């Protein structure tokens, strides 16, 4: 049996608060991702209504399903920004979500740059939301690494 220099209970323990930077970036990211979910729901519901309410499966999967994912990501980012003990699986999912939003922004910038400045487009919300989520996770990771170095496992 192998042992790790870090005990498993130390992985979820944060010896200090996440810090002001992580809190601010997490909340900003959560607000922008929640706004993206609201815009996505509204635009897709309007398009679904114009299509005579026909493609139910597409609407439920790509319309409401992606909006639910955006709301869950926003909730996770907000909870991370206020938690004394961050949950690292949630932090990993928030970081991956932030990276996907950054990739979405790059794709929008390449294909249709006008969507980057439209309030009803995904670009405006992804430009701020994606990097904010990634910065929150990086700040939390740096805080955790610093805490582990200050208080090594015995």
């Amino acid at each position: 049996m192998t042992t790790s220099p870090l005990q498993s209970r130390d992985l979820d323990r944060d010896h200090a608060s996440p810090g002001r930077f992580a809190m601010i970036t997490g909340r900003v990211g959560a607000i922008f991702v929640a706004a993206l979910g609201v815009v996505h729901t509204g635009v897709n519901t309007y398009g679904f209504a114009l299509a005579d309410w026909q493609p139910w499966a597409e609407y439920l999967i790509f319309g409401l399903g992606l909006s639910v994912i955006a709301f869950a990501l926003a909730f996770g980012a907000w909870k991370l920004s206020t938690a004394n003990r961050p949950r690292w699986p949630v932090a990993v999912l928030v970081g991956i979500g932030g990276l996907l939003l950054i990739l979405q922004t790059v794709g929008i910038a390449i294909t249709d740059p006008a969507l980057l400045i439209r309030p009803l487009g995904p670009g405006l919300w992804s430009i701020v939301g994606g990097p904010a989520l990634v910065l929150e996770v990086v700040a939390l990771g740096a805080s955790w690494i610093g805490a582990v170095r200050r208080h090594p496992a015995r």
Side-chain angles (χ1 to χ4, degrees), residues 6 10-18 84-86 88 139-154:
L6 295 176
D10 287 336
L11 293 176
D12 281 337
R13 185 185 321 147
D14 190 13
H15 300 285
S17 64
N84 286 333
R85 287 180 30 161
W88 293 107
L140 286 172
S143 171
W144 177 71
I145 289 171
V148 169
R149 285 189 179 166
R150 284 190 302 273
H151 305 291
R154 289 166 181 76

Side-chain angles (χ1 to χ4, degrees), residues 103-124 126-127:
L103 287 174
Q104 174 181 326
T105 304
V106 170
I108 291 169
I110 292 170
T111 58
D112 189 6
L115 283 177
L116 291 176
I117 57 173
R118 288 190 189 143
L120 292 179
L124 178 65
S126 299
I127 285 174

Side-chain angles (χ1 to χ4, degrees), residues 14 17-31 73-87 90-91 94 132-133 136-137 139-140:
D14 190 13
S17 64
R20 190 167 177 84
F21 181 75
M23 183 185 69
I24 290 171
T25 56
R27 289 183 178 184
V28 167
I31 290 168
L73 186 62
F75 179 76
W78 190 274
K79 290 300 281 186
L80 277 178
S81 72
T82 60
N84 286 333
R85 287 180 30 161
R87 304 288 183 213
V90 175
V94 167
L133 295 182
E136 175 190 23
V137 172
L140 286 172

Side-chain angles (χ1 to χ4, degrees), residues 14-104:
D14 190 13
H15 300 285
S17 64
R20 190 167 177 84
F21 181 75
M23 183 185 69
I24 290 171
T25 56
R27 289 183 178 184
V28 167
I31 290 168
F32 273 79
V33 172
L36 175 63
V38 169
V39 168
H40 193 265
T41 301
V43 168
N44 282 296
T45 302
Y46 179 71
F48 184 58
L50 289 179
D52 292 327
W53 307 94
Q54 290 301 317
W56 277 98
E58 291 175 16
Y59 173 68
L60 292 176
I61 294 170
F62 298 109
L64 294 182
L66 289 176
S67 295
V68 168
I69 291 171
F71 292 133
L73 186 62
F75 179 76
W78 190 274
K79 290 300 281 186
L80 277 178
S81 72
T82 60
N84 286 333
R85 287 180 30 161
R87 304 288 183 213
W88 293 107
V90 175
V92 168
L93 291 174
V94 167
I96 290 170
L99 289 174
L100 290 174
L101 286 173
I102 291 171
L103 287 174
Q104 174 181 326

